[in-house]
Every structure is written in structure tokens, then in C-alpha cells.
Amino acid sequence: MRVLVVEDEPDLQAQVVRALQEAGYSVDAASDGEEGQFLGDTEPYDAVVLDLGLPKVDGITVLNHWRNNDRNMPVLILTARETWNEKVSGFDAGADDYLTKPFHMEELLARVRAIIRRSAGHASPMLECGPVTLDTRTGKVMINTAAVTLTAHELKVLSYFMHHQGRVVSQTELIEHIYDQDFDRDSNTIEVFIARLRKKLLPELIKTHRGRGYSMSCEDQDT
Ligand code: CA
């Protein structure tokens, strides 16, 4: 899962980016509204954390621009104060949730998890596929009652499939959602990650659709 952070306060931006990375997300950051808007226009994000008070272009204008251009990724806005009118403007512009500064990082992480899973159509934080479960709160993966240890990249790949079950995901889509923009992307590694997930979880968990991509179909997984 890939997240964009648009925040102009350097310390806060660094803290949010680090917390999201430690929680297993690939993260891009922008320090003003212009750069943030551009990234949101051109890169596919699973969620955006958007400050409202930004240099160059303010957050509400950025959000309005995205929604008018069918950029539908879930957006969590950060507001400086308990001002009800900023929140109303934010929701009217198409925000999915808000957080008032100062906030606890755990709350930001919980809200980001929630908007990502809701936008993918999941109400519960526990994602299931046959005997495989992923707790999105902890990143813990189980097969039946046994815990499975995955590397950070394997977990990113599994999490993307668990959020988008039953749909064919192309290799390009997968790469765009598991790596941040500065990462040296190598499509060969995707096949390696998928082979390892099949080995560690279930051989038939992820299907290959030749020339189209991969899918995780969970109806077939009942043991
Ligand atoms: Ca600000």
C-alpha cells in the first residue's frame, strides 16, 4: 500500500512519513500544495494524508482539483485547529476523514488503515482469504492458527492482494502500489515475492493470468 503525505512542517512531515513506513507503507512526501497536487494527479496512491494550510496551493483547493478530475483515492485531512468550518469545507471537497493537530501518531495510523480498507470495500480490520488471515492493525499473518513470518516486501504484496481479492492485478499496478517513487523498481522481484508467498502460505493462493497479471481468489481456498 502506498501513501502520499502532503505536509509543510518538516518535523511533522518526517514523523508522519517514518511512522507510516514503520507500519509497512511505501510513502512519498510533498512539502507544498503544488507538488502534492502533481503527485496525486500522476501517481496511484492507496491513501493521502493532506494538510490544509499549505504553501503555494491550499489543501482544500488541491482536494477539489483531485475530485473534479476523478482522482478518488481516500484522503485524510489534517486541520490546524478545532475549527468546524475547515472540517465542513474538507468533507464538502471530498475528504474521507479528518484529524486535528496535534494528534497521536497511533490515531493517524488507525485512520489511514480504516480509509484504505473501507475504500477497498472491507469493514473489518481482519482480512481473510480461505485459511489465510491478515490483521491490518499489526501486520500479523496467520494460516489457520499458525503465524507466518513474512519480509516487509512480501507483506506489502500480500496486503495489496488481500485488499483487492478476486480481481486481476497487473504487474505494473502491483509495482506502483508497493514501491515509493524513489525506489529502484524491478519487475522481476514481483515474481520472486509471489513465489515466496505461495511457498509460505498456499501454493494456489495467488493465480497467474498469463499476460494480464495475478489474482487472489478466496472462494477456492476452503480447506
Ligand atoms: Ca501547514
Side-chain angles (χ1 to χ4, degrees):
M1 294 289 162
R2 188 171 166 200
V3 179
L4 171 65
V5 176
V6 190
E7 168 60 63
D8 59 313
E9 289 171 46
D11 288 349
L12 183 59
Q13 185 198 88
Q15 286 166 27
V16 172
V17 167
R18 196 178 330 115
L20 287 165
Q21 285 171 338
E22 283 170 5
Y25 299 99
S26 296
V27 186
D28 295 333
S31 303
D32 64 61
E34 196 176 84
E35 187 192 4
Q37 181 173 305
F38 174 76
L39 285 172
D41 277 342
T42 52
E43 298 290 328
Y45 292 104
D46 298 292
V48 178
V49 177
L50 177 67
D51 185 28
L52 290 186
L54 290 168
K56 297 191 184 175
V57 184
D58 70 89
I60 295 285
T61 304
V62 171
L63 187 51
N64 268 316
H65 165 88
W66 284 337
R67 296 317 192 211
N68 290 335
N69 288 279
D70 292 327
R71 302 298 286 173
N72 297 323
M73 62 284 194
V75 173
L76 170 68
I77 54 173
L78 303 179
T79 64
R81 297 167 301 278
E82 275 287 347
T83 51
W84 65 268
N85 53 333
E86 267 196 353
K87 285 174 215 155
V88 171
S89 313
F91 280 119
D92 281 346
D96 297 270
D97 201 359
Y98 74 89
L99 199 51
T100 304
K101 296 180 189 176
F103 52 83
H104 290 281
M105 206 54 79
E106 282 303 316
E107 185 176 0
L108 179 134
L109 293 174
R111 289 183 183 277
V112 167
R113 279 196 296 275
I115 60 174
I116 288 177
R117 69 161 199 265
R118 282 201 305 262
S119 78
H122 302 282
S124 163
M126 289 291 288
L127 302 183
E128 292 179 18
C129 185
V132 179
T133 55
L134 166 65
D135 187 336
T136 59
R137 295 163 295 192
T138 58
K140 194 171 181 191
V141 177
M142 308 269 285
I143 181 154
N144 293 314
T145 53
V148 180
T149 307
L150 300 180
T151 66
H153 275 114
E154 289 163 8
L155 185 58
K156 284 180 188 190
V157 173
L158 179 70
S159 177
Y160 196 76
F161 279 115
M162 290 293 266
H163 278 84
H164 299 280
Q165 295 171 14
R167 181 164 76 71
V168 176
V169 175
S170 72
Q171 201 169 65
T172 306
E173 178 181 343
L174 202 52
I175 287 169
E176 285 179 330
H177 287 270
I178 65 166
Y179 295 128
D180 61 59
Q181 61 171 355
D182 297 329
F183 201 89
D184 185 15
R185 298 170 181 190
D186 177 0
S187 60
N188 292 326
T189 59
I190 295 290
E191 288 184 33
V192 174
F193 295 145
I194 286 174
R196 285 203 223 128
L197 286 173
R198 285 173 176 150
K199 196 166 175 221
K200 287 185 179 181
L201 297 165
L202 288 170
E204 66 279 18
L205 183 68
I206 298 168
K207 283 187 183 144
T208 299
H209 300 262
R210 221 162 280 288
R212 293 167 60 213
Y214 308 93
S215 71
M216 181 181 272
S217 57
C218 303
E219 293 81 40
D220 312 341
Q221 304 301 336
D222 291 328
T223 45

